[in-house]
């Protein structure tokens, strides 16, 4: 005789209960990761998003941070556009960016190629290349200030040794901006070189071996293997380079003060002057909004072109 149990399923066998237990276990397991993520988001929102929103708001106001702010519409934008230094600031910023691309974008890639081909003292040379990055930016800039001294500077001593006339590096409108580009390239050489070097070391060695068997020389290997294999990192670094150089500030601030004759004043340096020298922080915010819009439009267009090129 078979006995039929009249009891229902045990509580522990409830599928819904087991599902909830697994969900709680997963949340408990990842609570640390969620905590770090929330902390990063809070810091990013407080130190990045909020200042950007605040900058946009202040660009449409007149305020001294004591009295109540007054909305003035586009008055701050009109004020900075009518400034005599507005045009030269944008012109110098664009010229600095172009010159920095010629030097600062190509030189680290070439340095990475050379380091990647070396078999001895590679670690030591990496340290030498990266050393300028470890220096505080102000120290590097002031070091070059001595290099650029008209009489006792290192660069003019080298020119004299080569029987060439000395140059008035920082005091001439012809050489001042180029001098700043040289400083910026030297200070940022290490970071770009190590990034490119890491990308080069991910390229399979079999590709180079096959190219060598086919009789390909060094330049053909670089053209047909190295550049295509590192195309993604090259595009990313190009975007980062342009965004960073458009915000040049410390070089003109410490070396030239925007001179001579406004030949090295940049948009960010003009923002600093409005905020801290002219006492017009709202005008500085208006300039910042203009620069932010330009960089956002450029970045969006660049990413769109890059996406279409990949497809």
């Amino acid at each position: 005789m078979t006995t039929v149990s009249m009891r229902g399923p045990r509580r522990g066998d409830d599928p819904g209960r087991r599902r909830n237990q697994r969900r709680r276990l997963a949340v408990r397991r990842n609570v640390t990761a969620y905590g770090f993520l929330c902390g990063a988001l809070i810091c990013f929102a407080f130190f990045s998003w909020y200042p950007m929103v605040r900058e946009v708001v202040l660009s449409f106001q007149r305020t001294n941070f004591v009295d109540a702010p007054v909305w003035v519409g586009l008055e701050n934008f009109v004020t900075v556009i009518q400034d005599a230094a507005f045009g030269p600031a944008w012109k110098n910023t664009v010229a600095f960016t172009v010159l920095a691309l010629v030097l600062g974008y190509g030189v680290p890639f070439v340095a990475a190629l050379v380091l990647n081909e070396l078999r001895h003292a590679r670690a030591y040379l990496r340290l030498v290349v990266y050393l300028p990055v470890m220096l505080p930016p102000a120290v590097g800039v002031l070091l070059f200030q001595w290099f650029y001294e008209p009489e006792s500077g290192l660069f003019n001593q080298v020119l004299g040794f080569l029987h060439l006339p000395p140059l008035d590096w920082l005091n001439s409108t012809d050489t001042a901006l180029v001098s700043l580009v040289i400083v910026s390239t030297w200070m940022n050489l290490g970071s770009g070189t190590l990034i490119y070097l890491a990308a080069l070391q991910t390229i399979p060695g079999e590709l180079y071996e096959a190219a060598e068997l086919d009789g390909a020389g060094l330049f053909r290997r670089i053209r047909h293997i190295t550049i295509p294999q590192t195309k993604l990192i090259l595009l990313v670094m190009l975007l980062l380079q342009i965004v960073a150089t458009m915000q040049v500030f410390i070089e003109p601030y410490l070396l030239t003060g925007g001179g001579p004759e406004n030949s090295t004043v940049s948009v960010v340096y003009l923002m600093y002057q409005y905020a801290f020298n002219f006492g017009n922080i709202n005008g500085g915010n208006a300039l910042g909004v203009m620069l932010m819009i330009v960089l956002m439009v450029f970045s969006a267009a660049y990413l769109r072109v890059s996406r279409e090129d990949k497809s």
Side-chain angles (χ1 to χ4, degrees):
M1 182 176 180
T2 304
T3 304
V4 180
S5 175
M6 301 300 294
R7 292 182 301 175
R10 291 182 299 175
R11 187 178 181 183
D13 294 336
D14 184 9
R17 180 181 176 80
R18 292 198 301 269
R19 193 182 307 112
N20 292 333
Q21 288 177 341
R22 288 195 297 268
R23 187 180 298 113
R24 286 195 296 268
L25 180 61
V27 172
R28 192 180 304 114
R29 187 184 300 118
N30 296 308
V31 66
T32 303
Y34 292 147
F36 280 112
L37 179 61
C38 291
L41 289 175
I42 292 173
C43 290
F44 193 75
F46 186 76
F47 292 105
S48 295
W49 294 336
Y50 173 74
M52 287 191 293
V53 174
R54 184 65 172 161
E55 179 184 40
V56 174
V57 173
L58 287 174
S59 66
F60 295 99
Q61 294 179 339
R62 184 191 303 120
T63 179
N64 55 10
F65 298 104
V66 177
D67 302 322
V70 178
W71 287 90
V72 294
L74 299 177
E75 179 181 312
N76 296 316
F77 293 89
V78 174
T79 299
V80 297
I81 290 174
Q82 293 177 343
D83 191 334
F86 179 80
W90 283 99
K91 178 183 176 182
N92 296 333
T93 300
V94 174
F96 183 93
T97 301
V98 173
L99 291 173
L101 286 178
V102 175
L103 294 177
Y105 185 66
V107 171
F109 188 68
V110 174
L113 290 174
V114 174
L115 289 177
N116 194 51
E117 294 294 328
L118 294 177
R119 295 294 179 266
H120 303 287
R122 182 184 295 181
Y124 170 75
L125 291 176
R126 286 181 188 172
L127 176 62
V128 171
V129 171
Y130 195 73
L131 184 61
V133 181
M134 294 187 287
L135 294 176
V139 174
V141 171
L142 294 178
L143 176 65
F144 269 81
Q145 188 176 36
W146 172 72
F147 288 167
Y148 288 138
E149 283 291 331
E151 297 180 0
S152 59
L154 176 63
F155 289 161
N156 278 342
Q157 290 183 13
V158 172
L159 292 177
F161 178 79
L162 298 174
H163 303 288
L164 296 174
L167 296 176
D168 200 3
W169 295 93
L170 299 177
N171 300 317
S172 171
T173 57
D174 297 326
T175 58
L177 192 64
V178 177
S179 302
L180 300 188
V181 173
I182 295 174
V183 177
S184 177
T185 300
W186 181 80
M187 290 196 303
N188 298 288
L189 175 65
S191 299
T193 300
L194 291 188
I195 293 174
Y196 288 136
L197 186 60
L200 291 174
Q201 292 178 348
T202 62
I203 302 176
E206 295 81 3
L207 297 177
Y208 291 110
E209 294 175 2
E212 291 177 359
L213 292 176
D214 290 339
L218 175 62
F219 292 102
R220 289 185 61 188
R221 295 199 300 270
I222 293 175
R223 177 184 177 185
H224 296 288
I225 297 177
T226 304
I227 294 180
Q229 291 292 321
T230 57
K231 183 178 179 180
L232 178 60
I233 192 66
L234 287 172
L235 292 175
V236 172
M237 290 296 290
L238 176 62
L239 176 61
L240 295 178
Q241 172 90 7
I242 293 175
V243 172
T245 51
M246 286 286 288
Q247 302 176 68
V248 57
F249 169 72
I250 189 171
E251 291 86 354
Y253 174 69
L254 291 178
L255 285 177
T256 62
E261 300 177 11
N262 284 337
S263 61
T264 58
V265 63
S266 65
V267 175
V268 177
Y269 181 72
L270 189 59
M271 290 168 52
Y272 167 83
Q273 286 188 312
Y274 265 95
F276 297 100
N277 292 342
F278 304 157
N280 185 358
I281 193 170
N282 302 108
N285 285 310
L287 270 172
V289 171
M290 293 181 188
L291 181 61
M292 181 173 63
I293 292 174
V294 169
L295 292 178
M296 289 175 62
V297 171
F298 167 77
S299 300
Y302 178 83
L303 293 174
R304 181 179 180 85
V305 171
S306 300
R307 192 180 304 113
E308 291 177 354
D309 183 64
K310 292 177 184 179
S311 59

